[in-house]
Amino acid sequence: MICVIHAEGDVAEWTFPADPGAVRTARGVVRGQLHSWGLDSLGDITVLLVSELVTNSLRHATGPIGVRLVRPSRPLDALLVEVSDPLPDPPRERSAQPEDETGRGLQLVANSSRRWGTRPGGTGKTVWFELPVPG
C-alpha cells in the first residue's frame, strides 16, 4: 500500500511499508512523477538510485520508508531526491569486492549524483542526492 502525502507543484512525497514490494512500487511512482514533470531524461538513473536506497532501508530498518522528489525551480538546478527510514544510524559506504553480491548501493549513489549525503530526522534519517537536469 502506498500513501501519497503530497504530489503537486514542485514536491512529490510517498510513504511505503517496509515490505519487498516497496522497491517496485517506488520505481513506478518515481518514474511516473518524473514523466509528469517532463524530466524523463532523469528517469533511469533516478529510478536506479531510489531502488538502491529503498533496498538499503528494507535491509536495515523496520518501519515506513519515505521517498521525496523536489523538482528544480530553474533550468540549471538539480533534482533533489530523498529516501527516509526510521533507523537513526547513517549508512556506510563500503568497498565491495568483485564477488560480493551487496555493498555497491552507496557507491553508485556517490558516483552517479552531483552531491549526496545524510541527515538525521526526528525519528530516523534521510539519505539524499542531487541529479543535474540536462540542459
Side-chain angles (χ1 to χ4, degrees):
M1 177 179 160
I2 310 172
C3 175
V4 176
I5 299 171
H6 186 268
E8 58 184 58
D10 292 331
V11 177
E13 297 180 76
W14 303 270
T15 301
F16 305 97
D19 68 50
V23 177
R24 180 175 2 121
T25 306
R27 284 193 303 254
V29 298
V30 165
R31 189 175 295 281
Q33 187 64 49
L34 292 175
H35 177 74
S36 74
W37 284 343
L39 296 174
D40 292 307
S41 62
L42 294 177
D44 290 343
I45 189 63
T46 305
V47 165
L48 174 64
L49 299 181
V50 165
S51 293
E52 292 294 333
L53 294 178
V54 171
T55 298
N56 282 352
S57 291
L58 285 172
R59 285 182 181 218
H60 303 288
T62 59
I65 300 165
V67 175
R68 181 174 184 258
L69 305 178
V70 180
R71 178 171 48 178
S73 58
R74 295 178 298 216
L76 297 178
D77 282 349
L79 173 72
L80 173 64
V81 180
E82 300 174 335
V83 175
S84 302
D85 64 50
L87 186 68
D89 303 327
R92 293 179 306 146
E93 193 173 349
R94 294 183 8 193
S95 295
Q97 300 300 313
E99 64 277 359
D100 291 344
E101 293 184 17
T102 62
R104 293 177 181 81
L106 287 177
Q107 286 179 344
L108 193 56
V109 171
N111 291 329
S112 301
S113 61
R114 180 167 79 178
R115 295 184 323 147
W116 78 281
T118 64
R119 68 174 180 273
T123 59
K125 66 160 172 323
T126 297
V127 180
W128 59 270
F129 62 89
E130 294 178 348
L131 294 172
V133 176

